[in-house]
Amino acid sequence: LGRLRAFSTTYTNEYLASHGYVVCMLNGVEDFPPDNRPAYHGQVTREIDFYHYIEKFLTDSLKISNGVSGLMGFSGGGFSQFIAPMNSNAFQAVALLESGIFLDGDLFEIVSAHPYYNPKEFNTPLLFFYNKHRFQKNVSSQRFFDLNTPEKYLILFNDSTQHHWDFATEGTIASLFLNTRTEKVSTNQIDTFKKLNGIVLKFFNQYLKRQNDLGLVKNKATIIEPSDNP
């Protein structure tokens, strides 16, 4: 479950759906700027209400989820997915693709002022992807490690050419069709995005399907080099 950023999560949504997952994304929501704090908090709450509604619908009406569901989001479209588990134990896993939830500055202060925000109540397994260079420069790692859950995974890609949109469908489209990058940058981006989606699938398989061990170290950063990619 998550919030659709138009095109951004399309590839990952389709990848998960092709491996046996029902993917439901909220679309057409208001997009209030975070500096309009009351309106923005209201939007986040409505998104969280949607996740609960769909989870109940999939379980009670369609009989397909058995009360087991995960949340996923990219960039600024991943804030409500992060806050939802702080107010409920209805979700069993959260995957965030370079979400700005831990960024230094005003944005974090606004998002963390939401009434549900409480890192000590975050007990859900979390998979968090980021570019290593941007993470070290712009992100407070302590906010990640302060989360109460013992099941948290931090994946950092050590590639200085990696753009924020390379965590989404747009980056792969640019690499494949726009001819604005060198061959090496395009190859690294495509390989890294494949690696990212494979890890997301393994993460949800472990915590939603109980199929396998993710094989990553908990509660510390895992650094992935471009040469590590398949």
Side-chain angles (χ1 to χ4, degrees):
L1 309 176
R3 176 186 171 192
L4 189 65
R5 286 287 298 268
F7 196 54
S8 301
T9 59
T10 298
Y11 186 106
T12 306
N13 295 342
E14 295 286 353
Y15 183 75
L16 292 172
S18 70
H19 287 81
Y21 284 91
V22 176
V23 181
C24 299
M25 290 280 163
L26 176 62
N27 195 14
V29 298
E30 308 98 328
D31 197 6
F32 294 106
D35 56 0
N36 184 345
R37 192 172 297 199
Y40 186 73
H41 287 174
Q43 174 183 311
V44 168
T45 301
R46 285 190 291 276
E47 291 174 12
I48 293 173
D49 289 344
F50 163 81
Y51 305 146
H52 286 287
Y53 171 82
I54 293 298
E55 197 277 332
K56 182 175 175 57
F57 176 75
L58 293 175
T59 300
D60 296 345
S61 299
L62 298 186
K63 310 293 184 185
I64 57 175
S65 80
N66 297 319
V68 177
S69 59
L71 300 168
M72 183 186 74
F74 161 72
S75 189
F79 293 167
S80 59
Q81 297 91 317
F82 175 72
I83 293 175
M86 298 180 182
N87 190 53
S88 171
N89 61 1
F91 311 105
Q92 287 69 51
V94 181
L96 298 179
L97 317 181
E98 199 159 87
S99 170
I101 193 69
F102 300 122
L103 282 173
D104 289 325
D106 294 341
L107 181 59
F108 176 79
E109 302 305 324
I110 293 168
V111 174
S112 62
H114 189 279
Y116 295 169
Y117 187 86
N118 185 349
K120 299 305 179 186
E121 294 296 327
F122 194 106
N123 300 306
T124 304
L126 172 66
L127 177 65
F128 190 76
F129 292 96
Y130 224 87
N131 175 269
K132 178 185 174 184
H133 303 274
R134 287 193 293 277
F135 188 87
Q136 292 175 338
K137 181 179 180 181
N138 301 320
V139 177
S140 171
S141 60
Q142 193 58 44
R143 291 171 184 155
F144 173 84
F145 292 110
D146 279 346
L147 296 173
N148 195 52
T149 176
E151 309 281 330
K152 49 184 175 283
Y153 304 88
L154 176 60
I155 312 298
L156 301 178
F157 292 103
N158 187 24
D159 184 353
S160 61
T161 68
Q162 187 181 39
H163 193 276
H164 174 60
W165 292 98
D166 289 339
F167 288 80
T169 305
E170 287 88 342
T172 296
I173 297 300
S175 295
L176 288 173
F177 301 114
L178 297 187
N179 297 319
T180 57
R181 295 171 147 177
T182 66
E183 181 177 355
K184 180 176 180 178
V185 170
S186 294
T187 299
N188 283 345
Q189 187 279 323
I190 292 169
D191 287 347
T192 297
F193 194 54
K194 288 180 180 178
K195 180 75 170 179
L196 179 152
N197 282 282
I199 295 173
V200 170
L201 177 63
K202 289 181 180 179
F203 174 72
F204 283 138
N205 283 347
Q206 176 172 333
Y207 289 103
L208 302 184
K209 294 185 176 183
R210 305 293 177 182
Q211 285 188 354
N212 58 278
D213 186 346
L214 185 59
L216 296 173
V217 179
K218 301 173 186 175
N219 300 315
K220 65 177 297 186
T222 296
I223 310 297
I224 296 182
E225 306 286 345
S227 60
D228 291 341
N229 299 328

